[in-house]
Amino acid sequence: MRRDHSGRWLAALVIGAVLSVLSVSGAGSALGAPRPDRPLPVAYDVRVGILAELAHPGGNLPGTNDFGCRPNAVHPRPVILVHGSGGGRQTNWGALAPVLHDAGYCVFAPTYGAISDIWPASAIGGIGPKVDSAWQIKLFAEKVLAATGARQVDIVGHSLGTEIPTYWLRYLGGADEVDHYVSLAPYWRQGPDSDDTRGETIAQFRRLLGIPGPQWPPCPECAAPPRDLDFNAAVRSGTPYLPGIRYTNIVTRDDEIVTPYTAGLLPGPRGTHVTDIVLQQGCPVDRSGHLALTATPRAAALVLGALDPAHAPPVPCVPVAQPF
């Protein structure tokens, strides 16, 4: 099993998008945010979020990170989108963010794990030490809960973003703060990979250079992971699933990063609620790869159905011939 190159794929897309923006005048105005009281346009293309970041460096996608948003009775929980390795709050969610907004959710998306707060490095997340990233997700979720008045949030994570929140839930006191947990391209059966190595290397350089690590607030609700376990093992120790949370794993057979794709299919033990979905089941013509899983109409409908099973929309079958 391997999962080593998602950051490289995204970097290649960013470079291509940069060239596109440089060659097209007025790209920024074309991506201006519509009025929030109107439906947002949805383009099922992973490049949309990258273009948004280039047009509005360090900004937020329309319909996201509105801390004045108040959840409604139909969708009482805000949704937090947690990007993958090399992603960010805009680059990862150009399609799914407006889908969720238009469905009536309060949508929030952080960029975590960036190694600098200076753009463009600030837009490339999921790079730093994983424990630091889990703390960032914890603090962001607490900010969302405080601002919206909600008791719980729902999580939609992609790739690395399926793993990081689990550490928060298991060891940083978040277990009671999440109701639905939707994972796109998870890798529950996989051991340490390049993300672990990179994060540990950054932490080691930080120590060697005498650079202090982040200072986190007191956490009486936190619990230490089992002794001598690295991050990967701590997340998966026993099971990554917790009772009381509804988990949905959505994978694609054409995943070129998580291989085999079945690394993301993991049933839960007694007392947990876990649903595993293969994108191509009933729709072999959707050949979406690792990145495109965040931007295909079929996956978007499956996410909506996972978050609100009582009002699940029809799940379309649209041919997708390329991984992105």
Side-chain angles (χ1 to χ4, degrees), residues 5 31 41 57 95 128 150 172 282:
H5 306 301
L31 288 167
L172 302 182

Side-chain angles (χ1 to χ4, degrees), residues 33 71-73 92 126 227-228 233 235 237 283 300 317:
N72 56 46
N92 219 112
R227 193 172 181 179
D228 298 328
V235 164
S237 177
C283 185
C317 181

Side-chain angles (χ1 to χ4, degrees), residues 135-294:
W135 265 100
Q136 291 170 357
I137 296 301
K138 168 186 172 66
L139 297 179
F140 186 85
E142 290 176 351
K143 180 181 178 182
V144 169
L145 289 170
T148 61
R151 189 177 65 85
Q152 292 180 305
V153 301
D154 289 338
I155 296 291
V156 177
H158 175 236
S159 193
L160 177 64
T162 71
E163 179 187 51
I164 297 298
T166 300
Y167 192 95
W168 160 49
L169 301 188
R170 297 194 65 177
Y171 303 112
L172 302 182
D176 295 330
E177 296 176 345
V178 173
D179 191 67
H180 289 64
Y181 195 121
V182 183
S183 297
L184 299 168
Y187 48 104
W188 301 124
R189 298 178 183 270
Q190 186 168 303
D193 57 29
S194 61
D195 289 330
D196 297 88
T197 302
R198 182 177 57 245
E200 292 167 3
T201 300
I202 290 173
Q204 183 177 9
F205 273 119
R206 194 166 60 192
R207 290 190 296 267
L208 290 174
L209 295 173
I211 301 173
Q215 298 297 309
W216 307 117
C219 185
E221 69 274 21
C222 291
R227 193 172 181 179
D228 298 328
L229 291 186
D230 58 25
F231 187 97
N232 184 286
V235 164
R236 293 158 178 77
S237 177
T239 176
Y241 308 128
L242 297 177
I245 299 175
R246 295 176 64 94
Y247 293 90
T248 303
N249 300 315
I250 302 174
V251 304
T252 172
R253 290 174 182 163
D254 291 280
D255 199 317
E256 71 286 355
I257 303 299
V258 176
T259 56
Y261 71 93
T262 51
L265 302 175
L266 180 67
R270 183 181 298 273
T272 61
H273 188 285
V274 182
T275 300
D276 287 332
I277 299 173
V278 179
L279 187 72
Q280 287 78 22
Q281 185 172 353
C283 185
V285 296
D286 189 334
R287 303 292 304 277
S288 296
H290 187 79
L291 296 179
L293 194 57
T294 67

